[in-house]
Amino acid sequence: AQRVTQPEKLLSVFKGAPVELKCNYSYSGSPELFWYVQYSRQRLQLLLRHISRESIKGFTADLNKGETSFHLKKPFAQEEDSAMYYCALIYNFNKFYFGSGTKLNVKP
Amino acid sequence: DVKVTQSSRYLVKRTGEKVFLECVQDMDHENMFWYRQDPGLGLRLIYFSYDVKMKEKGDIPEGYSVSREKKERFSLILESASTNQTSMYLCASSPYSDPGQPQHFGDGTRLSIL
């Protein structure tokens, strides 16, 4: 069963436009949710996690338990934001799921 | 800074060979993971280990085994490589005590089975 769904394989926006990368998850308890990013020719790295409620590189993500979503948002996209983004879900200390990823392309 | 090192960036092997992928981390993390990363499928967990000699199957363990004899090292073994195991393999580590802690990834090994 697909635990984490990222419906968009590719998202193209112009520089300065708002961007939202969607993530929905399947779990009825209290999840740990993360966004990871992989820039071209770099290793996968943490962008942010819901528990810290922080903004990293202008990105934020809010956990909506009612809609089981954890969408990633940024009000003004930059060209350097172009990358592959993965949503991840962890629960019970031994369940780890990643989504299929969304490639964000920010055009000049 | 956490360092997760995978022994090879690129590897080419033949069908039927026994293949070893090695991963070492330097932060005394209890958890270590092996994923495969395929376009359109994202990351899928093959195996993870939460302690020395302990392991749990992930979503796609078939055709793979793992070994964790020392805390810092986690090996992925393809017992008899097949072409459908051609993929990018990522190793990661994280502390066990807090599931809210992120995983730290290596650079990946791009494995081609001919």
Side-chain angles (χ1 to χ4, degrees), chain A residues 1-56:
Chain A
Q2 188 70 28
R3 296 288 181 178
V4 179
T5 304
Q6 293 179 248
E8 303 130 334
K9 287 192 185 327
L10 173 65
L11 189 61
S12 287
V13 301
F14 284 102
K15 177 183 172 182
V19 63
E20 181 180 65
L21 288 81
K22 291 184 168 52
C23 173
N24 288 92
Y25 65 91
S26 299
Y27 180 60
S28 57
S30 294
E32 301 288 344
L33 286 154
F34 304 80
W35 277 99
Y36 286 82
V37 61
Q38 190 169 29
Y39 301 103
S40 180
R41 286 187 278 279
Q42 293 187 27
R43 62 179 61 188
L44 195 62
Q45 58 186 288
L46 177 72
L47 180 61
L48 55 79
R49 47 185 161 165
H50 91 273
I51 196 169
S52 56
R53 295 180 177 272
E54 56 197 344
S55 173
I56 303 292

Side-chain angles (χ1 to χ4, degrees), chain B residues 59-105:
Chain B
D59 289 330
I60 51 164
E62 297 79 19
Y64 304 95
S65 62
V66 290
S67 172
R68 190 151 181 217
E69 297 296 320
K70 293 185 178 181
K71 191 174 185 180
E72 67 270 17
R73 186 179 297 270
F74 192 35
S75 303
L76 179 70
I77 303 154
L78 286 66
E79 296 289 343
S80 178
S82 63
T83 54
N84 62 12
Q85 293 178 308
T86 291
S87 186
M88 171 69 87
Y89 289 88
L90 299 181
C91 176
S93 74
S94 72
Y96 174 82
S97 56
D98 180 1
Q101 290 294 319
Q103 296 178 40
H104 298 264
F105 286 84

Side-chain angles (χ1 to χ4, degrees), chain B residues 10-52:
Chain B
Y10 301 94
L11 207 53
V12 180
K13 296 292 182 180
R14 295 207 174 275
T15 303
E17 279 192 72
K18 190 169 186 175
V19 181
F20 293 86
L21 302 184
E22 307 286 347
C23 176
V24 176
Q25 52 97 2
D26 66 358
M27 280 303 292
D28 203 36
H29 284 168
E30 289 80 12
N31 288 342
M32 293 190 76
F33 308 83
W34 276 107
Y35 294 90
R36 62 179 282 175
Q37 183 181 28
D38 298 289
L41 297 177
L43 274 72
R44 292 178 292 165
L45 182 64
I46 304 171
Y47 270 98
F48 84 98
S49 168
Y50 52 91
D51 202 351
V52 174

